[in-house]
Each structure stands twice: as structure tokens, then as C-alpha cells.
Amino acid sequence: MYRLERHHFAWLSIAAAIATIALKTLAWWITGSVGLLSDALESFVNLAGASFALWMILVTREPADRSHPFGHGKAEYFSSGFEGILILGAAFAIIWAAVERLIAPQPIESPGWGLAWSAAATGINFIVARVLGRAGERFNSIALSADSRHLMTDVWTSVGVIVAVALVAVTGWLPLDPIIAIAVGLNITREAWHLLRESVDGLMDRSLDSADVVRARRVLETFHARGVAFTDLRTRRAGASAFLQVVVLVPGDWTVRDGHALLDEIEAAVVAELPGIDVTTHLEPLP
């Protein structure tokens, strides 16, 4: 049976970006709307981000080696950081073009067809964003999750632009088009900040979510009744990989065999609660 992997979803994102670029560029070419132009520019960012995400996901599939004994999982954080930088650049270009159009407003041509093509592109992005979001949760992939969030931001941005262009067509108030474009630029700047912050957190070995840490502690606490204690619990995430380290304190008169058997049992219990986590334990005597 064919099994979908993370890189297959990255290819889906690339295909969606190419399709939406074509549709949104056509919508801008028909109407001349700077709001639709800003929407099309963000789709180019989507394509660049999705392409880089694919590259980083392929890097993470490389097995651990002598130079990278813990694997290549952190490569995904470069993807989210790169996408954040691209979004900032697109936001600047959008705002710049919008300010120029605000100073010298221009009428919107054939808004009906332009809005139809833009709406089709928005529908594609919405579907792909939902698929990527579920894949990001399934594979615990920050690259896919970041791509999903970016596409969903693009969806709401497109909805705002479509409404603005429709209102301009109805009211004839031309400044509304560049005003909405500026709002689009500011909105995606906020998303860029979130992606950059997540990238930095990952590269700085941020701990697992508090809920996962609590679950790990509860597993460890089940061994207290056997006269065992724990200290120096540490966790970190590297892309799709998660790591936990803990010092296990046992009575000093235990044999090495008894201690080793306990560590195996503890590690298996933690993995059963948090599947896929890499657990490292260290044995010490109780004071």
C-alpha cells in the first residue's frame, strides 16, 4: 500500500502555489487592482517557501552520521525562518506598491472576472492549508505546519482583497483598494514574526509543550512507589524528533542489573505515553 510521507505534502504545496500564482496573476492582469497584485505577490512567497520546505524535509530524512549524531531534524526550523524572511520581503513590496497607488489611484477594470479567478485560487489555498495542517500534526512537522498557517493567512488575506475590490466596484471609491493592500502587508508581517520566533525557539532547543512535559512527569511518578526518585528532567524538540533526558535515583544497594532493568522499563513507559520520543536516562544512587 502506498504511504504518504512529509515530502509528498511539500510537493502538494508547491503545486498549489504554482496554480494560485497563475490564477491570481490573471486576476490582477484583468483588473489592475493593487490589492490583487499584493495577493499574487504573496503566492510567489508561498512557492519559494514551499520549495525550501521540501528541501529541508528531504534533509531531515538523512540518517544520523558521525558529524550529526542526533540526526538532521532541526533543518525544518531553517524552513520556517526562511519563509518568515520571504514574507517580510513580500510585505514590504506590497506596502510600497500600495502607497504609490494610494498617491495616484487608478480605476479597476473588469472586476467580475478578476474576482472569480481570485476566488478559485483562494479555494485551492484553503483546501491545501487544511491538508497541510493535518499532515503537520500527524508528522509533527514544523515545516508543514508553518506552510499551513501561511496558506491560511493567505486565504483570509485573499478574502479581504476580494471584498475590497468588490466594494470599489460598487462604490467607486478608489483609495479603498490600496488601503486594503496596506492592511494585507501589515497582516502578513505579523505572520512572518510568528514564523521567525518559532524558528529561533527550535534552534535554541526549546522544551516540549508543557502538556507533553506533564505527561512525561506523570509516567515517572508512577515509579515513586518502588523507592525511585528523579531529577534533572530536560526535554527538547528538533523538528519532528523529540528528546527527553532524566537522572534516575535508586537505592545504593541495588545491583547494576536491577538498575539497568528499571531504566529499560522507564524508557519504554515514557515512549508508550509519548510515541517516537528519544529517551536518555542516567542512573545515580539516592543520597
Side-chain angles (χ1 to χ4, degrees):
M1 183 176 179
Y2 189 73
R3 181 183 176 184
L4 292 175
E5 301 288 351
R6 285 179 296 161
H7 64 283
H8 295 132
F9 292 96
W11 277 114
L12 173 64
S13 181
I14 290 173
I18 293 173
T20 55
I21 285 173
L23 292 172
K24 290 183 178 182
T25 300
L26 179 60
W28 163 69
W29 182 73
I30 291 173
T31 63
S33 164
V34 71
L36 292 175
L37 172 61
S38 70
D39 215 11
L41 287 175
E42 190 176 0
S43 292
F44 278 98
V45 175
N46 293 346
L47 176 59
S51 300
F52 194 79
L54 173 62
W55 180 25
M56 291 299 98
I57 286 174
L58 293 176
V59 169
T60 64
R61 298 178 67 199
E62 294 294 323
D65 52 37
R66 182 174 299 178
S67 299
H68 306 89
F70 290 97
H72 302 76
K74 285 191 175 183
E76 287 200 30
Y77 294 111
F78 290 106
S79 172
S80 61
F82 178 72
E83 190 161 358
I85 292 172
L86 287 177
I87 293 173
L88 282 178
F92 177 79
I94 289 169
I95 294 173
W96 182 273
V99 169
E100 289 186 338
R101 185 62 63 88
L102 189 61
I103 296 173
Q106 295 182 18
I108 294 177
E109 304 292 339
S110 304
W113 278 108
L115 294 180
W117 292 120
S118 182
T122 301
I124 293 174
N125 276 340
F126 178 77
I127 294 172
V128 174
R130 295 294 298 272
V131 171
L132 292 179
R134 288 194 292 268
E137 293 178 358
R138 173 185 170 190
F139 294 104
N140 204 6
S141 169
I142 186 176
L144 293 179
S145 295
D147 213 4
S148 170
R149 288 170 49 191
H150 181 203
L151 283 180
M152 192 56 70
T153 299
D154 193 15
V155 167
W156 293 117
T157 295
S158 299
V159 170
V161 170
I162 290 172
V163 171
V165 173
L167 289 175
V168 170
V170 171
T171 65
W173 191 47
L174 298 181
L176 182 60
D177 181 35
I179 289 173
I180 293 296
I182 292 173
V184 168
L186 295 176
N187 180 56
I188 65 175
T189 297
R190 180 171 59 88
E191 181 63 22
W193 165 250
H194 289 314
L195 290 175
L196 289 171
R197 186 179 64 182
E198 286 187 359
S199 177
V200 171
D201 280 346
L203 293 173
M204 295 293 289
D205 282 338
R206 184 181 179 89
S207 67
L208 301 184
D209 293 340
S210 58
D212 289 337
V213 175
V214 168
R215 291 168 63 190
R217 288 189 183 278
R218 286 175 179 169
V219 171
L220 298 178
E221 288 170 359
T222 63
F223 291 88
H224 286 334
R226 296 163 62 174
V228 178
F230 301 90
T231 186
D232 294 336
L233 174 63
R234 294 185 294 174
T235 65
R236 69 182 179 91
R237 182 170 297 284
S241 302
F243 300 87
L244 180 147
Q245 298 179 357
V246 65
V247 175
V248 183
L249 304 173
V250 302
D253 59 354
W254 278 28
T255 66
V256 173
R257 185 186 301 275
D258 291 337
H260 181 72
L262 174 71
L263 296 186
D264 286 344
E265 189 176 345
I266 290 172
E267 292 171 8
V270 174
V271 172
E273 179 66 24
L274 300 171
I277 193 169
D278 188 315
V279 182
T280 301
T281 52
H282 178 70
L283 194 66
E284 291 284 349
L286 282 165

